[in-house]
Amino acid sequence: MFLEVKNLTKSFGETQVLQGINFGLEKGQVLSIIGSSGSGKTTLLRCINALETADGGEIYVDGNKIFDAAEQKNKKSKTKNILNFGFVFQSFNLFPQYTALENITLAPSLKIREAYKQKSITKDEMKEKLAEIENNALSLLAKVGLSEKKNSYPCQLSGGQQQRVSIARALALSPDVLCFDEPTSALDPEITGEVLKIIKSLAAENMTMIIVTHEMAFARDVSDKIIFMDGGVISAEGSPAELFAQRENRRLQAFLSSFYDMAK
C-alpha cells in the first residue's frame, strides 16, 4: 500500500472531530472523500498534510513512516510530512503580489536560495537550479492551459484560472500525493469544468490524489475509491460502483439523495 493512514484522531477542545480513521491507497489511485459539512473531511485532509497536528495515529508513504503522533510533534516531523503532499486550497491562496509564474516558483526557489545561503551549493549551481525551476513552472503552466497568463497577477485571473495556477504550484514541489480541498466550491458552475478537466487529466497520468468534494458525478467518474465520512468516522467506503449502489447505509443514502434531488 503506497499511502496508509492508521487510527488518526483529532479533537478541538472537547469535540472529537476524527475518531480513529483508517484507510489505504495504492500508488496512482484517486480517493474521493464525501460527506456533509462538519463530518471531518477537511480536518482529515489538513491532518494528512500537517496543516493540523493529529492527536493520535500514524501515516506512511511508500512504507516510510512520515508521522507518528506518539513520537513526533516538532517542526522537523511536520516538514517531512509536507514534502510528501501537495495541497490545493478551495480559496486558491495565491500570493496577490506575485505573478502566476512567481507563485509557482516561489517555494522551490526559496529552498535553492537557502541552500546557497548555507553554502551547500555554489552560485553557479544556484543559477542553474533556479533556471530549471522556472522552466518546470513554464511547463506546468502549459499543462494547465495558462502559458499566456504567466505574467498575470491573481487579480487579473478568473477563479478557474487562479485554481489552475494553484494546481500548478502544488505540482511544482513534485508531491507523492496531491490533495484537493473542495477545489470547485469557490467557482461559478460555468468554470467548474475547467478545474475538473485538469484533475481528470492528472488522474489519467496516474497521479495519486485525495479529493474532498461535493461533486458527486465527478467523484464517481474520477475515483478508484470513495470514502463517506459521517460524524468523524468512515461510515462507508468502496469503489464508486459499490458505494453508490449501497442501500443498507441509511445515512449514506440520505446524503446522496440530497444531491440527486438538487440535480433534478
Side-chain angles (χ1 to χ4, degrees):
M1 198 67 69
F2 183 66
L3 170 66
E4 293 182 273
V5 175
K6 297 184 176 182
N7 200 33
L8 216 62
T9 61
K10 177 65 178 178
S11 296
F12 294 105
E14 296 182 358
T15 303
Q16 190 169 10
V17 181
L18 301 178
Q19 303 183 43
I21 301 297
N22 295 276
F23 69 85
L25 199 59
E26 298 288 357
K27 187 174 180 63
Q29 285 190 322
V30 178
L31 168 69
S32 287
I33 304 175
I34 63 174
S36 301
S37 297
S39 61
K41 307 184 302 299
T42 294
T43 298
L44 172 57
L45 204 62
R46 290 178 67 85
C47 285
I48 291 172
N49 282 267
L51 297 173
E52 298 281 358
T53 302
D55 300 324
E58 302 171 354
I59 301 173
Y60 295 80
V61 173
D62 201 17
N64 300 310
K65 184 190 291 185
I66 63 168
F67 176 79
D68 186 336
E71 295 177 0
Q72 45 192 352
K73 291 186 178 180
N74 54 53
K75 290 185 177 180
K76 182 178 180 180
S77 67
K78 287 187 178 182
T79 300
K80 184 179 179 182
N81 193 336
I82 290 168
L83 291 175
N84 290 276
F85 295 90
F87 197 96
V88 178
F89 298 86
Q90 59 180 296
S91 54
F92 320 138
N93 284 26
L94 297 176
F95 293 104
Q97 70 272 35
Y98 296 127
T99 65
L101 181 62
E102 290 168 340
N103 264 282
I104 297 169
T105 60
L106 180 61
S109 294
L110 286 174
K111 289 183 183 179
I112 298 304
R113 294 184 188 280
E114 181 62 24
Y116 172 68
K117 185 178 179 181
Q118 298 298 324
K119 298 183 179 180
S120 58
I121 60 173
T122 66
K123 188 173 184 179
D124 286 341
E125 287 174 330
M126 179 186 71
K127 289 181 178 179
E128 181 179 344
K129 290 181 182 296
L130 289 176
E132 290 175 359
I133 289 170
E134 181 168 337
N135 287 333
N136 182 53
L138 291 170
S139 296
L140 289 171
L141 278 171
K143 187 183 188 72
V144 299
L146 291 175
S147 292
E148 75 285 359
K149 298 293 185 180
K150 65 179 183 180
N151 294 320
S152 297
Y153 291 90
C155 65
Q156 298 171 317
L157 302 173
S158 70
Q161 290 170 337
Q162 288 185 62
Q163 192 62 296
R164 283 187 278 163
V165 172
S166 298
I167 294 171
R169 179 178 61 181
L171 290 171
L173 294 174
S174 301
D176 293 313
V177 183
L178 184 57
C179 300
F180 297 84
D181 183 18
E182 299 185 20
T184 60
S185 66
L187 304 178
D188 294 333
E190 291 183 356
I191 57 177
T192 291
E194 298 177 4
V195 174
L196 297 184
K197 183 179 179 181
I198 296 298
I199 298 174
K200 283 185 177 181
S201 71
L202 293 173
E205 296 173 7
N206 295 318
M207 181 78 201
T208 309
M209 294 186 284
I210 303 175
I211 307 167
V212 169
T213 183
H214 285 303
E215 300 280 348
M216 294 301 105
F218 171 71
R220 182 183 56 215
D221 292 344
V222 78
S223 306
D224 297 289
K225 181 186 294 186
I226 299 178
I227 283 174
F228 170 62
M229 290 191 65
D230 184 41
V233 300
I234 295 176
S235 179
E237 62 181 312
S239 69
E242 292 168 340
L243 190 115
F244 283 95
Q246 279 200 30
R247 294 292 180 266
E248 64 276 10
N249 189 318
R250 294 184 178 180
R251 186 69 190 89
L252 172 61
Q253 285 306 307
F255 173 78
L256 293 176
S257 294
S258 66
F259 285 95
Y260 294 148
D261 289 343
M262 288 183 351
K264 290 180 180 178

